C-alpha cells in the first residue's frame, strides 16, 4: 500500500511522477517522449543522434540539428546552449545563416533538449560535458568552424578549445553572456550576488526548478515557453538542469576552477577572430564581457558589441 501525505499540490506532483512513464529507460538514462516536441511549429528541423562514449559513463545519445545549404557550405557554425535551454534557443539562427551559405549545427548537451538524460544528478560533471563536446566534434569531423557559445555553453566550449583535438579545428569564436569564473572572494562577491541568489534557489528547488517560469521572467513573452519547457515532462528529467549551476566554482581550489584558469590562460594565446556580444540587461554575466576581452592578446582581431535591451537569452 502506497500512502502519500502532504499538501494537495505536492501530492499531485508525486502522483504525476509515479504515473508518468518515460518513453525510454536504460538503467538511469531516460529520453524525453518525442510527442513533447511535435507541436513546435518553429522547430521542425530533422533530428540527428550520435552515440557518445565517455570514460566514466555508459554510452548515451546526443541530439543535434545539422542543416546545410543547397550548395557546398562556405563554413560550419556550431552553436552551444546553456542553462536551462537547448538547441531550440538557436532556432532563429538557422534559416538566415543557411541562406548565406553556412552549415549550422546545434547540439543538445546530455540532460537537455532531445538528448538522453541521467536521472541522478551525481552523473553530471564538467568533465562529462567536456568529453561529450570533444567526441561530438570528432565524430562529425567539424573543421575550420565557428564556435558560438552562451552561458554554460561558454564555460564548456571555452574550456574545450585548448584541447589539441579541438584547437586546430576552430576558425572563429562568438562569445555571448558567459564567463570563465574561478571562484568567489571578497573582491567580486557583490558582482557575483545575482548568481549566488540563483544558485541558492537551485539548491532549494533541486529538480523542481520551474523552467517555464524562468524563461517567462527572462524573455517576457509567452509564445515560445512551451518550446523551452518541452524537454522536461516532470522533475525526473531535470537532474542536468539542477546540477549545472552547482558546477560553477565558488572556490578557487576546485577542479572546475582550475579548468577555468587553464582556459583563461589559453585565451591569452588565441589570435583568431573573436566576436564578444553581451546584453546590457543580464544581471548574471554583466561585466564579464570586459573580463573576457582582457584575456585575449592585443593583436587578436576582436569585435565587441553590447546588445541594448537584451536579456540573458539574447538569441
Amino acid at each position: 500500500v502506497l500512502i502519500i501525505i502532504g499538501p494537495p499540490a505536492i501530492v499531485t506532483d508525486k502522483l504525476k511522477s509515479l504515473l508518468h512513464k518515460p518513453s525510454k529507460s536504460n538503467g538511469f538514462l531516460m529520453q524525453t517522449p518525442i510527442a513533447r516536441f511535435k507541436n513546435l511549429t518553429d522547430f521542425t528541423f530533422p533530428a540527428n543522434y550520435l552515440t557518445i562514449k565517455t570514460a566514466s559513463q555508459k554510452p548515451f545519445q546526443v541530439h543535434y540539428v545539422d542543416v546545410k545549404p543547397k550548395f557546398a557550405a562556405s563554413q560550419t557554425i556550431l552553436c552551444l546552449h546553456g542553462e536551462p535551454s537547448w538547441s531550440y534557443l538557436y532556432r532563429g539562427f538557422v534559416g538566415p545563416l543557411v541562406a548565406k551559405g553556412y552549415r549550422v549545427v546545434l547540439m543538445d548537451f546530455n540532460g537537455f533538449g532531445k538528448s538522453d538524460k541521467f536521472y541522478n544528478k551525481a552523473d553530471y560533471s564538467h568533465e562529462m560535458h567536456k568529453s561529450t563536446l570533444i567526441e561530438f566534434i570528432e565524430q562529425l569531423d567539424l573543421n575550420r568552424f565557428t564556435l558560438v557559445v552562451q552561458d554554460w555553453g561558454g564555460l564548456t566550449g571555452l574550456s574545450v578549445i585548448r584541447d589539441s583535438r579541438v584547437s586546430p579545428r576552430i576558425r572563429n569564436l562568438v562569445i555571448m553572456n558567459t564567463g570563465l569564473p574561478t571562484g568567489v572572494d571578497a573582491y567580486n562577491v557583490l558582482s557575483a550576488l545575482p548568481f549566488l541568489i540563483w544558485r541558492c534557489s537551485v539548491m532549494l528547488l533541486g529538480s523542481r526548478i520551474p523552467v517555464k517560469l524562468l524563461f517567462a521572467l527572462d524573455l517576457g513573452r509567452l509564445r515560445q515557453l512551451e518550446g523551452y519547457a518541452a524537454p522536461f515532462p516532470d522533475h525526473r528529467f531535470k537532474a542536468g538542469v539542477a546540477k549545472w549551476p552547482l558546477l560553477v566554482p565558488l572556490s578557487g581550489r576546485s577542479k572546475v576552477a582550475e579548468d577555468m584558469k587553464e582556459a583563461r590562460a589559453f585565451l591569452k594565446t588565441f589570435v583568431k577572430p573573436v566576436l564578444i556580444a553581451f546584453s546590457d540587461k543580464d544581471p548574471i554575466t554583466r561585466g564579464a564581457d570586459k573580463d573576457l576581452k582582457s584575456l585575449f592578446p592585443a593583436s587578436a582581431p576582436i569585435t565587441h558589441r553590447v546588445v541594448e535591451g537584451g536579456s540573458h537569452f539574447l538569441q
Side-chain angles (χ1 to χ4, degrees):
V1 178
L2 177 64
I3 301 176
I4 301 177
I5 301 175
I10 294 178
V11 171
T12 301
D13 284 344
K14 289 182 177 179
L15 286 172
K16 286 182 179 179
S17 67
L18 288 169
L19 294 174
H20 181 84
K21 300 293 183 182
S23 64
K24 174 185 176 184
S25 179
N26 180 16
F28 291 103
L29 275 174
M30 300 186 297
Q31 190 178 73
T32 301
I34 200 64
R36 294 276 301 180
F37 305 98
K38 68 178 182 179
N39 293 326
L40 301 185
T41 57
D42 54 350
F43 195 83
T44 57
F45 311 109
N48 305 277
Y49 294 89
L50 287 180
T51 298
I52 301 295
K53 299 176 182 178
T54 66
S56 59
Q57 302 289 357
K58 65 175 63 177
F60 52 83
Q61 296 287 305
V62 163
H63 164 261
Y64 67 100
V65 169
D66 190 350
V67 184
K68 303 173 183 177
K70 293 182 179 180
F71 305 100
S74 59
Q75 186 185 152
T76 297
I77 300 176
L78 171 61
C79 302
L80 302 179
H81 68 83
E83 160 88 3
S85 56
W86 58 293
S87 54
Y88 182 76
L89 182 69
Y90 289 100
R91 65 195 181 281
F93 281 34
V94 179
L97 289 174
V98 172
K100 290 184 177 295
Y102 295 101
R103 173 190 179 189
V104 180
V105 180
L106 317 177
M107 188 195 87
D108 287 339
F109 281 102
N110 180 300
F112 298 84
K114 297 181 181 181
S115 291
D116 283 351
K117 298 167 180 65
F118 287 109
Y119 178 81
N120 193 334
K121 284 194 299 183
D123 289 321
Y124 293 94
S125 69
H126 179 52
E127 285 302 318
M128 185 270 288
H129 285 307
K130 282 175 57 182
S131 297
T132 298
L133 179 55
I134 292 171
E135 185 168 342
F136 179 85
I137 291 171
E138 288 190 309
Q139 283 199 40
L140 285 188
D141 195 24
L142 301 180
N143 284 293
R144 293 183 56 77
F145 67 92
T146 294
L147 181 64
V148 181
V149 301
Q150 187 258 347
D151 193 83
W152 255 105
L155 279 74
T156 307
L158 297 180
S159 297
V160 157
I161 62 171
R162 75 177 189 276
D163 189 283
S164 60
R165 293 165 290 181
V166 176
S167 183
R169 299 171 180 266
I170 299 290
R171 179 174 180 174
N172 309 303
L173 284 178
V174 177
I175 305 173
M176 303 183 293
N177 286 5
T178 188
L180 289 171
T182 57
V184 177
D185 54 35
Y187 297 100
N188 64 0
V189 65
L190 288 179
S191 61
L193 190 58
F195 170 75
L196 294 175
I197 294 172
W198 160 238
R199 182 187 173 102
C200 288
S201 300
V202 172
M203 292 178 68
L204 288 171
L205 293 170
S207 57
R208 304 281 179 175
I209 296 173
V211 171
K212 188 185 295 187
L213 177 60
L214 289 177
F215 279 99
L217 293 173
D218 187 81
L219 300 176
R221 53 181 183 267
L222 302 177
R223 191 172 59 180
Q224 292 89 18
L225 297 185
E226 293 300 327
Y228 287 112
F232 314 111
D234 60 51
H235 72 280
R236 295 172 302 159
F237 294 81
K238 297 180 186 177
V241 175
K243 185 62 178 287
W244 237 352
L246 306 185
L247 294 177
V248 177
L250 296 185
S251 168
R253 296 184 297 273
S254 69
K255 289 184 178 180
V256 179
E258 290 300 324
D259 198 54
M260 297 293 107
K261 292 174 185 177
E262 292 177 11
R264 294 172 71 90
F266 175 79
L267 292 185
K268 294 181 182 296
T269 68
F270 193 90
V271 293
K272 298 175 183 179
V274 179
L275 168 62
I276 299 175
F278 275 54
S279 57
D280 61 349
K281 301 295 184 182
D282 181 19
I284 302 295
T285 64
R286 185 183 294 123
D289 51 340
K290 297 177 181 177
D291 173 56
L292 286 169
K293 184 180 179 181
S294 71
L295 296 177
F296 293 94
S299 59
I302 296 177
T303 302
H304 184 198
R305 294 283 186 268
V306 175
V307 181
E308 296 183 0
S311 61
H312 181 65
F313 301 103
L314 74 170
Q315 289 90 333

